[in-house]
Amino acid sequence: MEKSNFSYLSAYMFAYAALGAFMPLVGQYLNSIGFTGTQIGSAVSAGTAVAIAAGAFWGSLYNKSASKKRFVLKLAMGAASVCILLYFVHTYVLFMALFCAMYFFQAPTLALVDAMAVEDGQMFGAARKWGAVGFALGVFFAGKLSESAGLPVIFFIYAGGFAIFAGIVFAMSAAKGAEGTGSVEASGKANEGGALAGASKAALFKNRKYVVLVICAFFMYGTITANNTYFGFLFLQGGGTIAGLGLAFLLMSGSEAPFMAWADKLAKVFTLEKTLPAAMLLSAARFAWYSTHPPHTLLLCFFFLQGMSTGIVIVEFVRYIAKIVDSGNLGFAISIYYALGSSLSAIFCQLAGGIILDHFGAGGIYVFFACMNLTGAIVYIAGKLYKNQE
């Protein structure tokens, strides 16, 4: 189990380090080559749009796969390869097309790693916190390197991070020899259960708590994703630098790790169902404060607000799903959750954020984000998801 834990923490760290190096700085990179706020928002949101179909498509194939870990590593290598191609593109339409292709491979990869971790009996919060650590380190070092080598370096850091992640997943699949030798048996079971698969997926959407949870996630996750793109504009307007932006993300994303690790303990004291809305309301308050254009020094001082809100939200949403969804359908449920609750929301927030940036500046973006989060908390409470799930 210890070896398995180390493999998962390493996988999470390198995958999210790649994202950390890329997502917070891609907006600044596109701005540097002449893209407008609307073009930045539409390009990024178009890529995210692909994740909706990709989540359902790859999630369904993942459930049927005889070697799930090797399935995931192929997706990771696809994302790394397309990212390298993005380095050579400077036109809006072609960049958007390749960004969509990258997201087609990238988006389900992370959702399926979550499913793998839960299916393998990992302590999800303890393992997932290393994703936050990786994200923080990725954006910190990318910020430092970008000041000396230029912003295009983010493409190579991303590709390298996902390539290492793929190697770790390959080692995990090789170590678990039963997965390979049992492929025939697994295939047989998949065929045997095929008649029930459609009914199981249909039942998922009849699960009221799951549906309400996905709706709540829509109002939360998009702002988390879009914040990675637009926080740089807020930070720079507040007097910060690109290197300082890397430090800000190191502190903010790094603060998620302890709260992810503490999520299990907090849930035991307050229950998972009550911990989650508290984090959602705190997130709304945080973004409302951001809308007042605080100086970059204050943004750095209150870095821990991201851990207290985002860190708990990321872990507890997935744990809540695992609590209310049948284990045999968990991979598909988490993929759909990420596609609809996260990716669809990210499209909306990234696109709206780009338009708002052009007309109202970074402060206007965070008024919008605060309203989104507050709505999510209200839906959660109105849907009575705060009641303990036996």
Side-chain angles (χ1 to χ4, degrees):
M1 180 60 72
E2 291 183 359
K3 184 176 181 180
S4 178
N5 283 333
F6 179 76
S7 297
Y8 272 103
L9 71 86
S10 301
Y12 273 118
M13 180 175 287
F14 281 100
Y16 280 90
L19 288 184
F22 189 80
M23 295 310 300
L25 296 176
V26 69
Q28 302 304 314
Y29 167 77
L30 294 176
N31 183 59
S32 73
I33 62 173
F35 282 32
T36 66
T38 301
Q39 287 178 323
I40 293 170
S42 59
V44 176
S45 63
T48 311
V50 174
I52 298 176
F57 176 75
W58 293 119
S60 180
L61 293 178
Y62 169 87
N63 282 343
K64 300 175 183 177
S65 175
S67 181
K68 294 182 176 180
K69 291 180 175 62
R70 296 193 181 190
F71 183 89
V72 170
L73 78 86
K74 291 175 183 177
L75 295 181
M77 289 307 300
S81 300
V82 176
C83 187
I84 291 295
L85 295 178
L86 281 173
Y87 168 76
F88 301 99
V89 176
H90 296 85
T91 58
Y92 169 66
V93 175
L94 186 54
F95 186 94
M96 182 167 61
L98 283 176
F99 200 86
C100 288
M102 186 183 77
Y103 251 78
F104 182 70
F105 295 106
Q106 171 200 294
T109 301
L110 302 175
L112 295 178
V113 171
D114 288 349
M116 281 166 44
V118 173
E119 289 169 354
D120 284 353
Q122 301 294 307
M123 292 183 65
F124 182 68
R128 179 60 178 79
K129 72 179 180 181
W130 292 100
V133 172
F135 191 97
L137 292 174
V139 68
F140 175 71
F141 286 111
K144 290 289 187 181
L145 288 173
S146 294
E147 289 244 314
S148 57
L151 284 166
V153 74
I154 64 177
F155 297 102
F156 298 99
I157 300 175
Y158 175 99
F162 261 98
I164 295 172
F165 163 75
I168 294 169
V169 176
F170 177 78
M172 291 167 66
S173 69
K176 195 169 184 179
E179 187 174 55
T181 58
S183 60
V184 175
E185 180 183 354
S187 177
K189 288 183 178 180
N191 291 331
E192 182 180 340
L196 299 177
S200 180
K201 293 172 183 176
L204 180 66
F205 296 103
K206 294 180 181 179
N207 184 331
R208 186 191 69 83
K209 292 184 177 67
Y210 174 76
V211 172
V212 175
L213 201 62
V214 170
I215 293 172
C216 292
F218 175 87
F219 290 102
M220 294 301 302
Y221 257 92
T223 64
I224 292 171
T225 302
N227 176 62
N228 291 333
T229 301
Y230 295 114
F231 179 80
F233 293 94
L234 182 74
F235 189 82
L236 295 178
Q237 287 179 16
T241 63
I242 291 293
L245 177 61
L247 175 62
F249 269 104
L250 174 66
L251 295 173
M252 293 191 304
S253 299
S255 73
E256 295 176 13
F259 284 96
M260 287 178 172
W262 296 334
D264 291 340
K265 296 180 181 179
L266 290 172
K268 288 178 181 178
V269 176
F270 302 105
T271 74
L272 180 158
E273 293 81 2
K274 291 183 174 63
T275 301
L276 187 50
M280 294 167 72
L281 288 170
L282 178 60
S283 182
R286 171 195 170 209
F287 287 146
W289 175 57
Y290 280 7
S291 72
T292 64
H293 288 282
H296 75 284
T297 50
L298 280 181
L299 292 173
L300 287 170
C301 288
F302 287 91
F303 68 91
F304 56 85
L305 291 177
Q306 179 159 319
M308 294 175 67
S309 54
T310 301
I312 292 175
V313 165
I314 289 174
V315 170
E316 296 297 57
F317 263 108
V318 174
R319 290 182 65 238
Y320 204 139
I321 290 174
K323 197 171 183 179
I324 62 176
V325 171
D326 179 72
S327 60
N329 214 25
L330 188 59
F332 183 73
I334 292 178
S335 293
I336 293 299
Y337 155 75
Y338 274 114
L340 300 181
S342 177
S343 298
L344 183 63
S345 176
I347 295 166
F348 179 59
C349 291
Q350 287 166 336
L351 184 57
I355 296 171
I356 293 171
L357 180 66
D358 281 340
H359 293 86
F360 302 102
I365 294 174
Y366 285 94
V367 171
F368 169 66
F369 286 177
C371 291
M372 287 283 288
N373 285 184
L374 182 60
T375 302
I378 292 172
V379 171
Y380 185 99
I381 295 169
K384 298 182 179 180
L385 294 183
Y386 59 87
K387 293 186 176 181
N388 188 35
Q389 311 297 319
E390 295 297 337

